[in-house]
Amino acid sequence: MTATSHSAEPTPRTPADESRRESWTGEGDAVSVLACINAALSELRDRLPDDLLANLQDVARSASAVQARSSLQSSGLVASQADAIVRSAEMIEELERTRCELERAHQTAEQTAQDTELLANTIFERTCSALFVLKERACIACNRNALRLFGVSRDEVIGQYPGFLFTADPRGEDAPGAIFGYEAAMLHGHFCEESIRRRKNGEVFWCEITLSAFRVRGQDHLLAVVKDITRRKQVEEQLRLFAGVFDNIQEGVAILDRRGIIREANPAFERVSGRPPEEITDRPLQEVVNWSFEDLPRVLESVIAGEPWAGRMRIGDPCRRPKSFLVSFSPSLDARGDGSVIALFSDVTRIERTQRRLRRQVLHDPLTGLPNRRYCREQIQCLIQHSADAGSAFAVCFLDLDDFKHVNDSLGHKAGDQLLQIVARRLKKAVSQGVFVARFGGDEFAILIPDIDPLRIRIAEVADAVLKSLRRPFRLAGTQAFVGISMGVTIYPTHAGNVDTLLQNADVAMYSAKDSGKNQVCIFSDDLRAVAEDRHHTQSALRRALGDNQISIEYQPQVWTTTGRLAGCEALARWRNSAGQIISPTKFIPIAEQTGLITALGDFVLATTCRQAVAWRLAGCLPDRVAINLSPRQLRHPRFVERMEEILAETGVRPEWLELEITENAVMEDVQQSMRVMDRLAAMGIRLAIDDFGTGYSSLSYLKSFNIHCLKIDKSFVSDLPDDESALAIARSIVSLAKGRGLSVVAEGVETSPQYECLMEMGCDLIQGFIVSQPLTPAAFEAWSKDQPFSGALRFPVGNSSPFSFS
Ligand code: C2E
Ligand code: CA
Ligand code: CA
């Protein structure tokens, strides 16, 4: 063994090496014996006379001593001389033999010593550990692993005190704590520790250090074996971490063998199963969690084959409330390398409860507790799938209360809500199990009748029960109220194959039921399909029409009844489609209203009319004011007033030039909100008129609180004048109501002189109708206003008697 050797090969020996080698092998004795023999032989030879020495050759050649002696005697030597020669020869021969043997032994010993050294060197260098040999606290030998591990050079170590072996703190290498290991090993012969050490570059690592003391020729030595155990420590750390996770994780974890026997489980699993540890390990999972999952053996096999599995299960027994768990099985290997399964149980009871609550909130109507539109749509989708598979049919019924607004307006919102709740309860009661009842919003309900053969009879039964259930009076706000219901029915797959079309059909059928006199049931038909398709077609065409400049505006004059002079006009939207056909606003306005297109359309009418009013004013042309129709949806738009302000600013129109016509029913949809908007518009200086007055359900008491300037008598009353008594009475009372409230009155749809005269007699301020003029294009209107050809039944010459001042 050499302190500074780099290779396993023997290196040239130093005197120190020689002495060490001698002390280890004991071969020094053989050498000295050999030297003695050689000395004895040469002395023996020196002492023999030359003639004797020459004779020794003959003795050596003789086969035996007797033969040698006799041959010497025959050559003339006396017997004693012959004996002496023979003895000398024998002695020399003996010595020579001994020398040969000794030399052989010496060679063998030397070979063995070389082998031992080679072996020691090899072990020293080839061992995986870092080795240091210390003598009196100085390192006298170390291997290359040692240099590599600590990142030091041989010169920095050999002959030095390797303090880095005993502490990771480079400043405290001599501290008592640091040399404790050294002292302990010297005292007890052995010391071992696992500790952190530092490389020269500052990097730290985990190592296992074994210190062994030994003595060589009476001197104390220390062998330090250092093993880098950083990787092992990392693995241990990881295992500790995993164990911590295993013990503290909220999820229950059980490790199963391929037969589903629980081999290990964490504390959370005890909560999952509700059992103590001794009732868990080495028992089948199904028994422990009381889970009858027949497919488990097959599932476990496929999990072990590498296919993870996940599912939901409920765990509970008579003593505990069942809980929902998300269970997942993942493949793993156990210590023996056998396939095992990690089963993870996550308690999702609370999440499910929250989900259910949220779903309930999202899918139910808070007022009646019935499923809402969204839920109903989902349900229809499910029924479609089911019926498509089963080849069956089902019915979608759309219901709308008749005269609900009347109840709402006359008895108040609270009573209206109460009515809806009672209706919901009665509907649920009227239909049998398995029939789905939903509220779509407002006074709209839906009923889904699943396929119970024959479907048409079922529909008739349900319709009958529904109508009957609502026939009884409702006790509301201390009075009795009656409401009817209009019901439209469509059948899957006869009438449609998707949710939207089914709902659209039911809606069309419902409107048809309403049209034919309320409290009716109407089943969708091909005729109605044509209506629905036409509506659908109109809807898409209208969308394009707005962008393609197909919408224009005509203006219908309004004149003073007494003078026949132009007072104002009403802006009426016109749609000439791509084929050049004129489509009536009575057709496209309701569709625009339903589809939301009315916002854009209404905006267009407002802006165009305002620009026109400004242009006429600049040209010095009448009319004094322009009336514009507002749809209910426009009125309810949260930014309507702001938009109106923007239009005033953009076009430069004066607010007092404008009159907005709002239908009675639009106002009544949400009285409070309408009132707020009307107040703001009136505050801006815009006049407001109630359109189609007399056709709605407004209670006259409301009229007082509305900030309005004008009432328009609907043409349905005007057309029955002057002969129809009730039309006459209504027209009269509208005029007197308006007068009493200081409002002006416009009669619209005046076609004949008797109508006109009758209205004039009543004191109606203004008239509008074909008797005056058809709605006119802007150019035609300008021309008309110059002539003002209408003279009506004028008995007096007219002047420009407009009460509206130009400001
Ligand atoms: P409305 O507001 O009641 O408009 C009066 C309707 O009666 C107009 O029909 C007009 O052309 C018609 N009319 C006028 N004088 C006579 C007459 O002497 N006899 C008869 N039989 N009819 C007469 P139009 O233009 O077809 O408008 C129908 C409805 O469409 C309007 O009824 C209004 O509710 C709506 N509408 C029209 N333009 C717009 C608009 O720009 N916005 C909104 N929201 N609705 C509009
Ligand atoms: Ca109108
Ligand atoms: Ca009208």
Side-chain angles (χ1 to χ4, degrees), residues 482-553:
F482 290 88
V483 288
I485 202 157
S486 298
M487 185 166 158
V489 185
T490 187
I491 295 169
Y492 170 93
T494 321
H495 299 142
N498 64 63
V499 180
D500 284 328
T501 321
L502 281 168
L503 284 173
Q504 232 168 52
N505 289 353
D507 194 41
V508 168
M510 190 275 290
Y511 274 108
S512 161
K514 261 206 194 323
D515 286 349
S516 46
K518 299 185 175 174
N519 221 21
Q520 300 272 333
V521 179
C522 172
I523 295 190
F524 188 76
S525 64
D526 282 346
D527 289 351
L528 288 178
R529 186 197 304 279
V531 173
E533 276 168 4
D534 184 41
R535 194 206 283 188
H536 182 73
H537 175 76
T538 310
Q539 180 183 322
S540 17
L542 181 60
R543 214 176 281 278
R544 286 194 301 275
L546 270 166
D548 292 353
N549 284 333
Q550 291 177 15
I551 308 288
S552 62
I553 295 165

Side-chain angles (χ1 to χ4, degrees), residues 69-89:
R69 206 174 282 123
S70 63
S71 116
L72 282 172
Q73 280 173 344
S74 62
S75 66
L77 290 176
V78 289
S80 62
Q81 277 179 320
D83 274 352
I85 289 169
V86 168
R87 263 203 312 278
S88 296

Side-chain angles (χ1 to χ4, degrees), residues 553 556 570-574 584-586 588-589 593 598 601-602 605 628-632 634 661 663 691-692 712 714-715 748-751 755 768-771 773-775:
I553 295 165
Q556 189 176 33
E570 180 180 1
L572 295 159
R574 294 290 174 259
S584 164
T586 49
F588 71 82
I589 293 288
E593 172 81 3
I598 195 70
L601 178 65
V605 173
I628 303 168
N629 292 285
L630 270 198
S631 93
Q634 275 175 289
E661 293 189 8
T663 63
D691 204 356
D692 304 344
K712 288 190 85 173
D714 189 58
K715 64 175 177 288
E748 63 181 2
V750 185
E751 291 179 345
Q755 287 168 352
Q768 174 189 348
F770 295 169
I771 192 172
S773 167
Q774 295 267 345

Side-chain angles (χ1 to χ4, degrees), residues 24 76 206 310 319 348 353 395 408 433 500 511 539 563 584 598 602 727:
W24 289 345
W206 268 99
C319 323
V348 290
R353 209 178 297 142
N408 225 5
Q433 278 257 309
D500 284 328
Y511 274 108
Q539 180 183 322
T563 63
S584 164
I598 195 70

Side-chain angles (χ1 to χ4, degrees), residues 125-352:
E125 278 304 336
R126 291 283 163 89
T127 177
C128 301
S129 307
L131 303 179
F132 294 87
V133 180
L134 277 68
K135 187 165 119 190
E136 287 170 353
R137 298 189 74 196
C139 179
I140 56 161
C142 69
N143 63 1
R144 270 175 298 168
N145 280 341
L147 302 176
R148 207 176 298 131
L149 185 62
F150 286 92
V152 286
S153 70
R154 194 172 293 280
D155 293 344
E156 290 169 303
V157 184
I158 299 299
Q160 310 291 327
Y161 167 62
F164 54 78
L165 268 181
F166 305 104
T167 174
D169 180 0
R171 290 158 310 174
E173 288 179 353
D174 271 329
I179 55 168
F180 171 79
Y182 181 85
E183 304 283 0
M186 284 318 215
L187 193 66
H188 304 294
H190 190 80
F191 179 79
C192 187
E193 68 171 333
E194 280 180 6
S195 184
I196 286 176
R197 291 294 179 261
R198 187 179 298 272
R199 286 187 239 285
K200 193 180 163 194
N201 66 7
E203 226 172 81
V204 291
F205 61 97
W206 268 99
C207 58
E208 181 197 271
I209 302 179
T210 312
L211 303 174
S212 313
F214 61 96
R215 282 173 82 82
V216 177
R217 277 205 290 268
Q219 282 193 300
D220 287 329
H221 287 70
L222 186 76
L223 174 68
V225 181
V226 188
K227 265 190 226 158
D228 187 342
I229 54 167
T230 309
R231 178 79 200 115
R232 196 191 86 204
K233 281 284 175 189
Q234 281 169 348
V235 171
E236 277 175 10
E237 184 56 32
Q238 219 169 27
L239 281 176
R240 236 193 324 275
L241 198 77
F242 288 161
V245 170
F246 189 73
D247 285 344
N248 297 303
I249 191 176
Q250 288 300 304
E251 276 77 13
V253 182
I255 296 165
L256 316 175
D257 67 11
R258 54 175 66 238
R259 290 167 305 146
I261 307 290
I262 301 175
R263 291 297 169 217
E264 219 160 319
N266 71 346
F269 184 78
E270 292 163 28
R271 290 195 295 276
V272 171
S273 61
R275 291 168 186 262
E278 62 273 17
E279 288 181 27
I280 292 175
T281 18
D282 297 329
R283 295 194 185 200
L285 172 71
Q286 283 178 294
E287 179 194 310
V288 173
V289 295
N290 198 7
W291 185 21
S292 51
F293 181 28
E294 279 173 18
D295 240 8
L296 186 65
R298 198 190 51 75
V299 166
L300 291 182
E301 276 311 315
S302 66
V303 172
I304 284 173
E307 191 126 317
W309 179 93
R312 261 169 206 260
M313 65 174 284
R314 283 183 81 72
I315 301 180
D317 49 49
C319 323
R320 295 189 312 143
R321 272 244 308 273
K323 287 182 161 195
S324 282
F325 287 90
L326 214 60
V327 186
S328 72
F329 291 146
S330 318
S332 170
L333 287 179
D334 64 14
R336 292 192 305 274
D338 284 344
S340 63
V341 172
I342 301 170
L344 192 80
F345 295 77
S346 314
D347 187 343
V348 290
T349 317
R350 270 174 61 190
I351 297 172
E352 274 188 355

